Amino acid sequence: MFFHSLKYAFITMLKNKTALIWTLIFPIALGSFMYMAFGNIYEDQALFTEVPVAVVKEKENENFEAMLKELSKEDDEQLLVVNYMEADEAKEALLDEEVVAIINMNEDIDLTIASNSYKATMVETIINEYKKQEKVITDIAKNHPENLAGVIENLADSKNFYTEKNTSDGNQDMMTNYFYAIFAMSCLFGSFGAIEKIGKLQGNVSPLGMRRCLSPNSKMISIVAEFISMITFQTIVQIIALIYFVAIGVDFGNKYPQMIGILFFGSCIGIAFGIIIGSISKLSENTKSGICISVSMVIAGMADLYANGVKDMIEHKAPIINRLNPAALISDSFYALNVYDTNERYFGNMAILGTMTVVLLIVSYLMLRRNKYASV
Amino acid sequence: MGNAIEVKNLVKRYKEILALDHFSLEVAEGEVFGLLGPNGSGKTTTINCILSLLSYDKGEIKIFGKEMKPDSYELKKNIGVVMQNVAVFDELTVYENVDYFCGLYISDKELKKKYVEEAIEFVGLEDYKKFLPKKLSGGLLRRLNIACGIAHKPKLIFFDEPTVAVDPQSRNKILEGIMQLNKEGATIVYTSHYMEEVEQICSKILIMDGGKNVAIGTKEELKKMIKNTETITVDVMNLTQEHIAKIKEIPHVYAVKYADNQLVVNCSGGKHNIVRIIDFFQNNDIAIGRVNAQQPTLNDVFLEITGKELRD
């Protein structure tokens, strides 16, 4: 009987277009829109590419040219793409945005930029640094020529006193945060399907529920079958969305098994949320859906769906909200996977989501048991 | 044969409202039992209590001699319900719907398949097996609703207004089907507001009102319970008050109405009432047109017992 119920729970789930739209099509559409809207900004701003500059050589400067040659050497550390041009040609290239800056080699080294960007700032920093060091060497040569060799040696030997180290292979850019929040919202949207399913199990909510209540089986069999089908469907749908986002170029890192774990527990909490709302027999289905969509959107917003930094602000002001907000937990789990090398925070979040799911399901079951068909 | 249903002194309250007031009922196995009553009379509450969908305050309910409880799964296997509202899955085809509900009762796959095919054939939906419910007309949808309720071949079937909003052809098909199920051995409990249907198929009828049993019997027995036994209608012109007064004096006549050149005479008991009426007109040399005598219908019985005032 259980497998019969499970089979039809899956069939009805697969044929439920509303559930498919809310849990798969909507998040994919939203994610695609975000990727199109912010993807270019991200690539421009976050992914480093070599900076094209125009150099107008009005006077020889061997040292500066040597530096440019070094910085434009084609290897992993290449910073600049140097194009020697005439002044007019360089201006045109700057206006056409073919180059980020014009470096004029005359008596001094002058810099012309068209707009403020981090690439222009970087070129400016290089020039300023060169000028500073050139001045140091000139001053030393003039005032303390005996120390010149030592100073040059020290400058050449300048090194960083910190080491950059990635804590994981994951992507830590801000745009990916939006996608974490989309997954959180999408998991919570599983609640819509759950409301419908639970309504069809309750004799006092739908004729279908009444007919099912009359069958010679425990209600628990139907509830478990429906829950399993919903979880499986929802998790698979989330995995499809994950594959899609990876395919269009969103970098979630490489901890896929753990990510599937997040999607599973996220689906569990979304569905459990729908089940408990669906168990309130005195509300209409529209009201229940309204509650689910409002709550999902609000708590997904609190997990950075609409603007980055909301979650951090809550973390500083009232961290308990983030510990209890399923959307924040889902989003934070993705973040923790990609940022931290250990899984401690990830497992902590999963444990909270799992516990919340169990509590919601127990309360829902008690509410469903209490409900009796009540029509005069 | 024993009783399929026994209800004794059932009391059900909704806060201040007494929905069932020491209501009792017996339905014998093999009967087609009609449960009638105006809106709010307690029919649905009675059925829901019998089916253990609703708890009750007092009383006893037995199905096939055994106490009926929410977890009486063995008893539930023998019960089928066809509700007024169509209760099927929109996402499933006709075949899948019947298969799903039959599968809740029948575990054996081969037997289930046989029963599903038989149920679909029984309601005449063989050509619509792969159709989704939304593609079916109102009548076909009602037939699917019936197939889902009876596919597991229950011994006791509740039909709650199964012919609401269906065309005469579909209604006829449904009623024939119910009679066929009864012939095959099923006990039927039938509720409807269509009196002619109840009169047509029910072997015993209970009329309830205010949560009480107000009349029970065969349709003939019920008709004998009311005052009116014959209604005679005569098309006649220019009757005077004097004539009407004389007609009222004819034996067994208890009510006379005259309007729009039509005389309606209600008689209580007696034989040859129509002859006495016609004799009156002949003796008074009054020309008459069409004359019609009608036995009381179940509708007359229902209205006389439950009253003519509007219900909610």
Side-chain angles (χ1 to χ4, degrees), chain A residues 202-207 209-211 213 219 281 368-376, chain B residues 12 14 44-45 47-49 51-55 83 85 160:
Chain A
Q202 292 172 272
N204 57 339
V205 170
S206 66
M210 187 179 165
R211 176 167 268 165
C213 284
K219 207 177 209 173
S281 59
L368 285 171
R369 270 179 65 93
R370 210 161 55 91
N371 285 342
K372 291 263 182 181
Y373 184 74
S375 162
V376 183
Chain B
K12 170 68 186 173
Y14 293 106
T44 307
T45 303
I47 291 175
N48 287 341
C49 286
L51 294 171
S52 274
L53 286 168
L54 199 58
S55 60
M83 284 153 289
N85 295 315
D160 185 9

Side-chain angles (χ1 to χ4, degrees), chain A residues 1 4 8 15 211-212 373, chain B residues 48 54 87 91 99-100 103:
Chain A
M1 207 60 66
H4 176 77
Y8 276 102
K15 289 184 175 181
R211 176 167 268 165
R212 293 168 91 184
Y373 184 74
Chain B
N48 287 341
L54 199 58
E91 302 91 346
D99 184 63
Y100 171 74

Side-chain angles (χ1 to χ4, degrees), chain B residues 261-309:
Chain B
N261 296 324
Q262 189 175 58
L263 179 76
V264 180
V265 181
N266 293 113
C267 302
S268 181
K271 289 178 181 176
H272 314 300
N273 294 319
I274 193 167
V275 176
R276 278 191 284 272
I277 299 288
I278 292 170
D279 281 350
F280 168 81
F281 288 116
Q282 280 180 343
N283 295 340
N284 289 279
D285 200 19
I286 299 170
I288 58 171
R290 195 175 53 182
V291 179
N292 180 41
Q294 195 181 7
Q295 301 297 308
T297 61
L298 193 57
N299 199 48
D300 297 323
V301 176
F302 184 80
L303 287 174
E304 189 164 323
I305 289 176
T306 61
K308 289 184 179 175
E309 67 273 21

Side-chain angles (χ1 to χ4, degrees), chain A residues 245-265:
Chain A
F245 288 140
V246 170
I248 63 170
V250 182
D251 184 1
F252 290 108
N254 56 9
K255 295 179 179 173
Y256 292 109
Q258 290 96 320
M259 278 186 237
I260 290 170
I262 300 171
L263 297 177
F264 172 76
F265 280 101

Side-chain angles (χ1 to χ4, degrees), chain B residues 189-227:
Chain B
V189 175
Y190 191 85
T191 72
S192 175
H193 283 119
Y194 299 116
M195 296 298 158
E196 70 280 16
E197 285 181 5
V198 177
E199 201 164 354
Q200 183 185 337
I201 68 169
C202 294
S203 51
K204 198 169 185 181
I205 299 159
L206 183 147
I207 298 175
M208 64 185 301
D209 199 8
K212 288 181 183 174
N213 171 347
V214 291
I216 187 166
T218 62
K219 56 192 171 193
E220 291 78 16
E221 287 168 345
L222 287 175
K223 285 174 184 176
K224 283 179 188 169
M225 289 178 192
I226 62 171
K227 191 175 181 182

